[in-house]
Amino acid sequence: MFKLRGELFGFGAVTLITLGFFSCNNFSNAVFGSHKVDSLVNKIEELIEDKPTLHSKWDSLRHNKIVFRVDSLNPVDIKTQKKNLRDSLRREFDKHPKHVYLTFDDGPLVGSRAIDSIARAKNIKVNTFVVGRHSTIGKYRLRDLNLYIENPLVAVYNHSYTHGYNRLGTFYADSIKAFEDFKKNESNIKMNSKVARLPGRNIWIYDNERRIDIPNAAPTADLLHKDGYKVFGWDVEWRLNSYSGEPNIPFETVYNRIVNYMNNKSSKEPNNVVFLMHDDMFQTKKGQKLLSDLIDKLLAKGYKFEFMEDYPIKY
Ligand SMILES: [Zn+2]
């Protein structure tokens, strides 16, 4: 095991015991002789050049991979060293753009058409996690689904075909059947890419990340991931009453929550906040105005609106 010793942002000597790429396993297949030696040298150079990114430093801190020491060179206690490093990384992140992902679940429903119009009017990217069966219910739902598919500002992702008919315990009890329900949705609808959200579950599986809220849905999420899907949950949720447009938490509160997640780096990934809403929230003029106002405020803040397939944007 190699050890990399050095200063991170001037907060004393810090030993990074592992950042993933200084592992003996990297050399296990090396053969010493002829050109293999050259390739090994190249490999080592490649590894040395693979400098830690802001995100990998943040991950190392978050997963306690950084060993802090108190010694004569650095007599500051460990808690303060950690805090100083965290604050320093936060300030570094604040020099970069902030990314917000508006996600709308359960469409097409009454309200989807307004989301499509607002995305066009504001010229921002939005994400929809659609339920194919809903396009067969009601006169205009297939039209609404097609509005999404044809709008380049709307990404269309998989939220299962039936939504488990809202009996989620039963739905996830048979993970093969649940997985097939997602595949049915995939084959019926032209999706942007293999991105899914599980009905009623805040589950994340992507890259090397895996976070499960309710374990009974984990086998379904794992099957999707094995099939090439990225599975995403959310950081902040907002609900409006479908019929009155009345929010469950006030407009200012939800706006501040997004800003706080961004500032404190308390979202799943720093500088990337995933915001959950549902299509049926925007069937009233009141609901539509709240969405439009929220987007204006986030735009004024300088946040960038992104597609989930690009999540997370790293530095
Ligand atoms: Zn849903």
Side-chain angles (χ1 to χ4, degrees), residues 201-270:
R201 298 291 182 270
N202 194 351
I203 289 182
W204 307 73
I205 308 180
Y206 62 95
D207 303 339
N208 293 319
E209 297 290 324
R210 189 170 190 278
R211 188 197 278 176
I212 307 291
D213 63 341
I214 303 174
N216 71 346
T220 306
D222 286 330
L223 285 171
L224 285 164
H225 188 241
K226 232 161 95 184
D227 190 59
Y229 271 91
K230 290 180 177 185
V231 178
F232 292 124
W234 61 91
D235 296 302
V236 182
E237 181 179 6
W238 199 26
R239 284 187 184 270
L240 308 183
N241 181 290
S242 311
Y243 303 107
S244 67
E246 200 55 48
N248 68 335
I249 45 173
F251 178 88
E252 282 298 328
T253 309
V254 80
Y255 168 74
N256 289 333
R257 203 169 282 177
I258 295 171
V259 172
N260 289 338
Y261 268 67
M262 212 59 104
N263 290 346
N264 300 334
K265 316 304 167 206
S266 42
S267 45
K268 175 86 180 66
E269 298 280 355

